[in-house]
């Protein structure tokens, strides 16, 4: 027996989107662009935009050593409408801040919002 139908879930997602997802995200995907000289350049292009909200999560900031420099990472979670097409290699830009997608969390049985763990990287 199904407690909530897909229609019910979509209605809940639409309501949550209207009430809580107050920001807009640009989802960027890496692409090869013709450089006009027979080669290509890798660049990030906007695949689509979506309503979202950026929230803190309980991960502590971590400071990995990269190229002999300490790099601070702040993990956040971005919430999108259900079934939003966001992948691990994507970048997300919200209010001028770029985040690297760590991993979209697997959708739950009753997904109302898509949960995506991201990292904002800052170099001291």
């Amino acid at each position: 027996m199904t407690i909530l139908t897909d229609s019910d879930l979509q209605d809940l997602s639409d309501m949550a989107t209207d009430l809580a997802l107050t920001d807009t995200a640009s989802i960027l995907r890496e692409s090869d662009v013709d450089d006009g000289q027979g080669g290509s350049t890798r660049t990030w292009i906007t695949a689509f935009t979506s309503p979202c909200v950026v929230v803190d999560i309980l991960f502590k900031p971590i400071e990995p050593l990269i190229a002999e420099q300490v790099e601070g990472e702040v993990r956040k979670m971005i919430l999108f409408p259900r079934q939003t097409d966001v992948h691990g290699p994507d970048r997300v830009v919200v209010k001028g801040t770029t985040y690297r997608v760590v991993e979209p969390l697997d959708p739950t049985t009753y997904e109302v919002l898509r949960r995506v763990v991201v990292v904002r990287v800052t170099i001291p």
Side-chain angles (χ1 to χ4, degrees):
M1 177 172 81
T2 302
I3 296 174
L4 296 172
T5 66
D6 274 346
S7 178
D8 293 336
L9 291 171
Q10 190 59 53
D11 289 345
L12 288 170
S13 180
D14 292 344
M15 183 175 66
T17 297
D18 290 343
L19 294 174
L21 305 187
T22 56
D23 294 326
T24 299
S26 295
I27 289 69
L28 309 178
R29 298 233 161 101
E30 195 171 25
S31 178
D32 290 328
V33 176
D34 185 359
D35 66 6
Q37 300 175 359
S40 63
T41 303
R42 293 203 153 232
T43 189
W44 293 93
I45 60 168
T46 300
F48 62 95
T49 60
S50 175
C52 74
V53 67
V54 179
V55 296
D56 290 322
I57 51 179
L58 297 178
F59 293 133
K60 294 190 301 189
I62 56 175
E63 295 181 337
L65 188 63
I66 298 175
E68 297 184 18
Q69 294 184 6
V70 174
E71 183 175 288
E73 290 186 352
V74 177
R75 291 184 182 238
K76 301 274 188 180
M77 184 173 294
I78 300 180
L79 303 175
F80 294 98
R82 71 189 293 257
Q83 301 177 342
T84 299
D85 183 32
V86 179
H87 304 284
D90 291 343
R91 300 287 186 263
V92 178
V93 178
V94 180
K95 291 184 177 178
T97 301
T98 302
Y99 299 93
R100 175 177 51 86
V101 174
V102 174
E103 182 174 357
L105 299 178
D106 291 334
T108 59
T109 302
Y110 297 113
E111 180 184 53
V112 174
L113 296 174
R114 174 66 42 105
R115 301 167 302 147
V116 178
V117 177
V118 297
V119 173
R120 181 184 51 132
V121 180
T122 58
I123 299 176

